[in-house]
């Protein structure tokens, strides 16, 4: 839940910021297109969400101290965590877009798409547990997350470097720099 809501909130914030700038009279194009948002939600989020659902159960999950505490699906603590994750994602995406958009809009949107996707990859690894760090869990305990991360990375390369996908998603090939 944290992963899904936080990454989507990051996408919402970046678009909202652009819309607020446009409403205030600044000519600021959308940092990502609708097709790119759809790609992030279906492909990146989709595979990583499924992989996160395959996370091995934590040993103390049914410990009595947790059963006494009633939790809601979305509470204040979760909302604050979502903001803590989504805000840097949106700010970094906007910063990258701002660095490129006046010179090349397609490059700016491609860089922003990659930036948001990378935040989602790292966020998936971060959201494996609400109480334990990745070092406590172990890097290789969720083979599905490893496979999903590799798959979404390959698919991201596919939409950036394949001409047909470039046409659909309005991306441009990136250089190593």
């Amino acid at each position: 839940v944290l992963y899904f809501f936080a990454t989507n909130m990051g996408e919402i914030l970046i678009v909202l910021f652009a819309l607020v700038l446009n409403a205030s009279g600044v000519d600021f194009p959308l940092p990502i297109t609708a097709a790119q948002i759809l790609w992030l939600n279906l492909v990146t989020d989709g595979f990583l969400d499924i992989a996160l659902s395959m996370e091995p159960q934590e040993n103390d999950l049914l410990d009595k101290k947790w059963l006494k505490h009633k939790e809601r699906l979305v509470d204040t603590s979760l909302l604050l965590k979502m903001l803590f994750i989504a805000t840097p994602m949106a700010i970094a995406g906007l910063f990258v877009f701002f660095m490129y958009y006046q010179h090349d809009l397609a490059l700016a949107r491609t860089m922003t798409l990659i930036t948001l996707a990378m935040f989602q990859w790292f966020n998936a690894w971060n959201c494996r547990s609400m109480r334990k760090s990745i070092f406590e869990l172990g890097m290789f305990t969720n083979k599905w997350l490893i496979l999903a991360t590799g798959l979404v990375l390959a698919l991201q390369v596919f939409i950036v470097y394949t001409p047909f996908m470039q046409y659909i998603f309005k991306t441009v090939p990136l250089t190593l720099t």
Side-chain angles (χ1 to χ4, degrees):
V1 172
L2 174 62
Y3 169 76
F4 183 75
F5 284 154
T7 55
N8 284 292
M9 185 183 289
E11 295 165 17
I12 290 167
L13 288 175
I14 197 169
V15 170
L16 184 64
F17 182 76
L19 293 174
V20 167
L21 278 177
N22 277 318
S24 66
V26 177
D27 185 28
F28 195 79
L30 287 176
I32 51 177
T33 66
Q36 292 171 345
I37 292 172
L38 188 61
W39 175 267
L40 287 171
N41 286 333
L42 291 179
V43 176
T44 306
D45 278 352
F47 287 114
L48 294 174
D49 276 335
I50 291 168
L52 281 173
S53 73
M54 303 300 216
E55 186 69 33
Q57 179 177 322
E58 294 179 27
N59 292 335
D60 59 347
L61 188 63
L62 297 177
D63 193 2
K64 297 233 185 271
K65 65 181 176 183
W66 288 100
L67 292 175
K68 292 178 187 174
H69 180 65
K70 230 179 191 180
E71 289 188 25
R72 295 181 178 172
L73 185 60
V74 178
D75 59 4
T76 305
S77 173
L78 188 68
L79 281 172
L80 290 173
K81 288 176 186 175
M82 289 180 341
L83 278 172
F84 184 75
I85 293 168
T87 303
M89 180 179 171
I91 290 170
L94 285 168
F95 178 76
V96 167
F97 181 76
F98 186 75
M99 289 183 58
Y100 293 97
Y101 91 96
Q102 293 176 335
H103 305 292
D104 186 344
L105 183 59
L107 176 62
R109 284 183 172 152
T110 303
M111 291 292 290
T112 303
L113 175 67
I114 296 295
T115 301
L116 294 178
M118 289 176 65
F119 266 94
Q120 290 181 351
W121 304 335
F122 289 111
N123 187 29
W125 285 85
N126 184 49
C127 289
R128 290 177 59 201
S129 171
M130 294 293 281
R131 298 177 289 134
K132 294 182 179 179
S133 76
I134 192 169
F135 303 109
E136 292 174 283
L137 294 171
M139 290 287 292
F140 305 104
T141 54
N142 185 341
K143 66 181 176 185
W144 298 108
L145 187 57
I146 295 167
L147 290 171
T149 303
L151 178 62
V152 296
L153 175 61
L155 289 170
Q156 201 68 35
V157 167
F158 181 64
I159 72 163
V160 171
Y161 294 103
T162 305
F164 174 71
M165 298 300 276
Q166 290 172 345
Y167 176 76
I168 294 172
F169 292 99
K170 306 296 185 238
T171 60
V172 294
L174 302 175
T175 63
L176 189 57
T177 56

